[in-house]
Amino acid sequence: METIESLVTSINGVVWGPMMLVLILGVGLFLSIGLKLMPVLKLGEGFRLLLSGTRAGSEEADKGEIPPFQALMTALSATVGTGNIAGVATAIFLGGPGALFWMWITALVGMATKFAEAVLAVNFREVDEKGNHVGGPMYYIKNGLGPKWAWLGTLFAIFGGVAAFGIGNTVQSNSVADVLETNFNLPAAVTGGVIMVLVGLVLIGGIRRIGRVAAALVPFMAISYLLAGLVVLAINASAIPEALTMIVEYAFTPVAAQGGFAGAAVWAAIRFGVARGIFSNEAGLGSAPIAHAAAQTNSPVRQGMIAMLGTFIDTLIICSVTGLVIVTSGVWTSGESGAALTSAAFGAALPSFGNYLVAISLAIFAFTTILGWSFYGERCAEYLFGVKAIKPYRVLWILVIPVGALVNLEFIWLLADTLNAMMALPNLVALVLLSPVVFRLSKEYFAAH
């Protein structure tokens, strides 16, 4: 096991090196400039589309499996998870308050990335043997770049199918088991078993049931968590100006060791801010477009505008609240990390209640993430082996959940980070090569509207 951990650590150091961070931010910046900052400037239009029924016309009723709103909620169900609670805390623990600044930068350029992913997913999607619309990086690589690039799509599907078990399954079940055992003394084995049963009951219904569950749970859990976070920030209001100053200052200057905080260089703030930002909002990872490809729409650009809201909601709203709660509370120097740090921050402002709130929020967040990522993994397996692979993959997915609840969390986070980067690389290459398609479709849409 030590040999495996050492190998993964070495690979992680390479794939999350300067080149990867420059590539992620660079692609997002390139797309933002190419789109003339449209994702930021048209943010209000995106929310209008989301709230207005989101269908472009009655002729779209038979195109796709789920309404655009449910597609966004399915994508958000996968992104709004442990990254918003444990991931933000880990970024601050390892990189200092400045890591939150780099999470914001990642999200701002990531909105253009997420827009482009969804546009390409809808534009190049296919209909499988069962009549379902399927899409994502593997399909827009194959159909957009041609046969000579098919290997790149296959590479994404392999990494995606495997990475799903890390970022979307074991990390989630392990985090839930850990936080419930800490706060409610619930054995990890029991937590793993309960999650396994609940996920199994939902997955039986496929993407339509996942979409309905996500549409019901995601808005409720996100709003509840945000309201609680805003209450804490109201209590800590006097500390907010200083917290914002620290976040910006430590994004560009090293932070010295304080209390249980070991100190962090600027590089650590950038590295962990960007890495946890991607882990949280998945912009550039290539996962979310798999859900958006199933949306009932004929307009790639409309779905792209709805998709980009996922990055805004996930990081610029939910992660920001978590990060500000942690920094304003002062407990970021306590030496705690992950969900324990977030629990301590909420508990400091809401004694005897805040830690339980975090535990319950994390459990619901992680549950929906497991559902969303199961769909992503299935689509990768289907691309590689056909529709016959869906059921075996689904069974394996359900069986792995309790295993994840019992293994070492630190190693799983490291493995998930590594697989994320390897999954993102083929997608980022495809986004650059297919950017002319995104720019053309966007120009044509806005010229007509």
Side-chain angles (χ1 to χ4, degrees):
M1 187 63 183
E2 289 184 8
T3 303
I4 295 175
E5 288 189 24
S6 177
L7 177 62
V8 172
T9 301
S10 299
I11 295 173
N12 186 270
V14 174
V15 296
W16 278 114
M19 184 186 72
M20 183 62 180
L21 301 186
V22 169
L23 184 60
I24 289 172
L25 295 177
V27 169
L29 184 61
F30 166 71
L31 291 170
S32 295
I33 294 172
L35 292 166
K36 300 178 181 177
L37 301 182
M38 182 278 295
V40 175
L41 298 176
K42 294 287 186 179
L43 186 63
E45 176 68 7
F47 277 106
R48 188 191 68 78
L49 286 172
L50 180 66
L51 299 173
S52 65
T54 62
R55 286 190 182 181
S58 59
E59 74 280 1
E60 298 181 6
D62 60 347
K63 302 293 178 69
E65 281 61 61
I66 54 177
F69 175 78
Q70 288 188 14
L72 175 62
M73 290 303 107
T74 300
L76 271 176
S77 74
T79 57
V80 178
T82 57
N84 299 85
I85 294 179
V88 176
T90 301
I92 293 174
F93 170 74
L94 295 172
L100 188 58
F101 175 88
W102 292 106
M103 289 185 76
W104 291 340
I105 297 300
T106 303
L108 283 173
V109 299
M111 287 174 62
T113 306
K114 191 69 73 75
F115 170 84
E117 289 176 324
V119 167
L120 294 173
V122 174
N123 191 64
F124 291 111
R125 64 186 177 180
E126 298 180 1
V127 177
D128 67 13
E129 298 170 32
K130 293 186 175 181
N132 295 319
H133 286 73
V134 293
M138 52 283 201
Y139 290 96
Y140 53 70
I141 289 172
K142 181 183 73 170
N143 298 327
L145 297 178
K148 67 178 181 179
W149 289 95
W151 63 273
L152 193 66
T154 300
L155 201 62
F156 174 86
I158 293 172
F159 287 140
V162 177
F165 284 99
I167 182 175
N169 188 315
T170 50
V171 162
Q172 309 301 327
S173 61
N174 194 289
S175 296
V176 176
D178 181 59
V179 77
L180 292 185
E181 186 168 21
T182 300
N183 290 281
F184 300 104
N185 295 317
L186 193 65
V190 173
T191 299
V194 171
I195 297 175
M196 178 182 69
V197 172
L198 293 176
V199 169
L201 291 174
V202 176
L203 294 190
I204 291 173
I207 181 57
R208 289 182 176 83
R209 185 174 295 177
I210 293 174
R212 288 194 297 270
V213 172
L217 278 180
V218 172
F220 169 76
M221 70 179 186
I223 292 172
S224 299
Y225 180 76
L226 284 174
L227 288 175
L230 292 174
V231 169
V232 173
L233 290 179
I235 294 172
N236 298 339
S238 61
I240 292 178
E242 182 185 357
L244 292 173
T245 300
M246 289 171 57
I247 289 167
V248 176
E249 178 186 348
Y250 290 141
F252 301 98
T253 58
V255 51
Q258 304 177 37
F261 179 71
V266 174
W267 167 242
I270 298 173
R271 177 187 175 184
F272 293 109
V274 174
R276 295 305 180 195
I278 293 298
F279 184 91
S280 179
N281 63 50
E282 300 175 16
L285 200 60
S287 50
I290 298 174
H292 289 288
Q296 294 170 336
T297 182
N298 272 342
S299 175
V301 174
R302 277 177 173 258
Q303 195 59 35
M305 293 176 70
I306 292 171
M308 71 188 189
L309 301 179
T311 301
F312 180 83
I313 294 169
D314 179 274
T315 304
L316 293 176
I317 296 181
I318 301 178
C319 286
S320 293
V321 168
T322 299
L324 284 171
V325 165
I326 291 171
V327 179
T328 57
S329 69
V331 300
W332 65 276
T333 61
S334 65
E336 293 284 2
S337 180
L341 177 55
T342 307
S343 292
F346 274 84
L350 303 171
S352 304
F353 171 71
N355 57 320
Y356 296 120
L357 172 70
V358 171
I360 294 169
S361 297
L362 181 63
I364 298 175
F365 281 17
F367 174 70
T368 57
T369 297
I370 292 173
L371 295 179
W373 268 93
S374 69
F375 178 66
Y376 296 162
E378 285 178 14
R379 285 292 185 254
C380 289
E382 178 182 349
Y383 180 84
L384 293 170
F385 306 109
V387 294
K388 64 180 182 297
I390 293 177
K391 286 186 178 179
Y393 188 93
R394 193 174 292 174
V395 170
L396 181 61
W397 181 269
I398 294 169
L399 293 176
V400 166
I401 291 172
V403 177
L406 298 171
V407 295
N408 180 271
L409 178 61
E410 185 177 343
F411 174 68
I412 288 184
W413 272 104
L414 182 68
L415 181 61
D417 258 358
T418 304
L419 291 171
N420 281 358
M422 297 174 73
M423 179 180 172
L425 281 171
N427 181 54
L428 292 169
V429 171
L431 288 176
V432 173
L433 295 176
L434 290 171
S435 59
V437 177
V438 176
F439 299 153
R440 175 179 58 81
L441 290 173
S442 181
K443 183 178 180 180
E444 290 174 353
Y445 175 85
F446 288 109
H449 295 80

